[in-house]
Amino acid sequence: MAGKVKWVTDIEKSVLINNFEKRGWVQVTENEDWNFYWMSVQTIRNVFSVETGYRLSDDQIVNHFPNHYELTRKDLMVKNIKRYRKELEKEGSPLAEKDESGKYLYLDFVPVTYMLPADYNLFVEEFRKSPSSTWIMKPCGKAQGKGIFLINKLSQIKKWSRDSKTSSFVTQSTKEAYVISLYINNPLLIGGRKFDLRLYVLVSTYRPLRCYMYKLGFCRFCTVKYTPSTSELDNMFVHLTNVAIQKHGEDYNHIHGGKWTVNNLRLYLESTRGKEVTSKLFDEIHWIIVQSLKAVAPVMNNDKHCFECYGYDIIIDDKLKPWLIEVPVSHDLVPGHLTASLRSCLAPNLRLQARVGGEEGRRTRTDAQVNASPSLTSSTANDRILKYNLINDTLNIAVPNGEIPDCKWNKSPPKEVLGNYEILYDEELAQGDGAERELRSRPGQSLGPKGSRLRDAGRTVLTTWK
């Protein structure tokens, strides 16, 4: 067993185990000496806990950063993005430029969002400016679709308010906080149906930031045609794209699972909207991902023993603008099924007569989110192949040559081992290209996510993602 990587996992998934065995790695228990531990988010808390945690050695590596929740918890992600914007404003960065109405020109990728109960009065003030608007409300520290609902009237959240006369908002549990965001009610439709994109992003280090985009993402479609009608606000076959919900729809296709590859989406958009605007859309998606990572990088515990594969869910509106909404903690790798209390919570809103079960059922989401543990459950044959290859390519970058890890290496693998990953952003390379200039621009492409060049006192500022 000398020289062989010793692995442990608390997630019994064939796409993981087959990849470990294919490399000739040796399975051990968590109480033995191990080199590689693919763990759930619950386990990572214990590993890095002040009370129960222990010091990892240079030949050990794990698949989460200690405080990944700075990106994957809804309220913390929004807080970090707001802080990031303010810091760029203070620095006088052109990236923080605003238009006449006060909206960010280049950092407007998260809808108007408030924390409840803290921002309840601010939310009410904003709601009354557009009383016909629709909002989506989600508990901050939960996934699995718990507590998610759409509202278009203040009275619909009065039951969460202890004292409506003073507009003092509290949740049913004083320990529970919510985010409430303006709902994207003009999604881009294909065949009249709403869809979102699932994209995988690997971060090998936050300082310096180095991240990779997986080229084989996919789209997930609703089975019921979209309508913004207020009478359908509680019909999640219309609003939620995740498989756990849609597989119970009458028109769900069990062969392709209501999914398209991102490449097919790109071809469709190029043929219907044109190549230039399609390229601009994907540039903006990359922009969103890198900016979200930059927003959390300063507060992320950049432990040298860690890497992380995130699942980004992106929704595109009918103006071809991509949106990142908020970021739930994902528990979709935890074995089991939906609890009775969760089913009773979901049933009135989802109009589901059948039981919503399985691992996908723990990931009820709308719009765009980032998941710390993207699902390894496969709903179709193509899904299974994609996720096996995703893990394979991830391991090739995280554990070079399948050898015992050495946390002292520089985590910059050669291009030939990237597989279906491509480098999205490398801060070291960016800084090497110039002190202020972060990255090279693409030849012939306009700069900045709005398709125009950013200028600061006559100086061209290049995009920060490519």
Side-chain angles (χ1 to χ4, degrees), residues 208-264:
L209 178 60
R210 186 176 295 119
C211 56
Y212 306 84
M213 169 69 75
Y214 200 63
K215 291 182 277 190
L216 305 182
F218 54 89
C219 308
R220 303 176 299 185
F221 284 82
C222 290
T223 55
V224 176
K225 289 191 174 183
Y226 179 80
T227 171
S229 169
T230 55
S231 64
E232 294 291 340
L233 287 185
D234 64 344
N235 186 349
M236 295 305 157
F237 288 123
V238 172
H239 298 287
L240 293 182
T241 60
N242 60 304
V243 175
I245 304 304
Q246 297 303 326
K247 70 181 181 181
H248 295 283
E250 293 179 3
D251 297 323
Y252 180 73
N253 186 304
H254 290 271
I255 297 174
H256 58 64
K259 293 179 179 179
W260 261 15
T261 66
V262 167
N263 284 338
N264 281 345

Side-chain angles (χ1 to χ4, degrees), residues 225-394:
K225 289 191 174 183
Y226 179 80
T227 171
S229 169
T230 55
S231 64
E232 294 291 340
L233 287 185
D234 64 344
N235 186 349
M236 295 305 157
F237 288 123
V238 172
H239 298 287
L240 293 182
T241 60
N242 60 304
V243 175
I245 304 304
Q246 297 303 326
K247 70 181 181 181
H248 295 283
E250 293 179 3
D251 297 323
Y252 180 73
N253 186 304
H254 290 271
I255 297 174
H256 58 64
K259 293 179 179 179
W260 261 15
T261 66
V262 167
N263 284 338
N264 281 345
L265 173 66
R266 188 157 198 154
L267 288 172
Y268 172 82
L269 291 176
E270 286 179 354
S271 65
T272 56
R273 301 293 189 100
K275 197 165 186 176
E276 186 177 347
V277 294
T278 302
S279 293
K280 179 173 172 286
L281 166 65
F282 281 90
D283 284 351
E284 291 187 26
I285 291 172
H286 296 161
W287 170 274
I288 285 175
I289 292 169
V290 172
Q291 296 306 313
S292 67
L293 294 172
K294 283 188 170 189
V296 301
V299 297
M300 193 66 70
N301 186 337
N302 187 50
D303 194 291
K304 64 182 180 179
H305 304 92
C306 307
F307 69 94
E308 192 126 26
C309 180
Y310 297 102
Y312 273 77
D313 294 344
I314 303 289
I315 189 169
I316 305 166
D317 69 22
D318 57 11
K319 296 178 183 176
L320 289 195
K321 176 179 172 61
W323 292 93
L324 176 65
I325 311 293
E326 72 282 337
V327 196
V329 176
S330 175
H331 301 284
D332 54 7
L333 296 181
V334 180
H337 57 274
L338 287 178
T339 63
S341 61
L342 174 56
R343 287 198 299 275
S344 64
C345 171
L346 290 175
N349 289 334
L350 302 187
R351 293 184 180 176
L352 295 182
Q353 299 304 315
R355 179 177 66 86
V356 181
E359 289 192 329
E360 286 287 344
R362 286 186 298 282
R363 292 190 304 118
T364 306
R365 296 185 308 281
T366 61
D367 304 317
Q369 305 169 348
V370 183
N371 295 281
S373 300
S375 175
L376 299 182
T377 300
S378 304
S379 55
T380 66
N382 286 338
D383 220 22
R384 193 156 43 249
I385 293 169
L386 182 149
K387 288 171 182 176
Y388 176 86
N389 290 331
L390 170 69
I391 298 301
N392 179 60
D393 292 345
T394 298

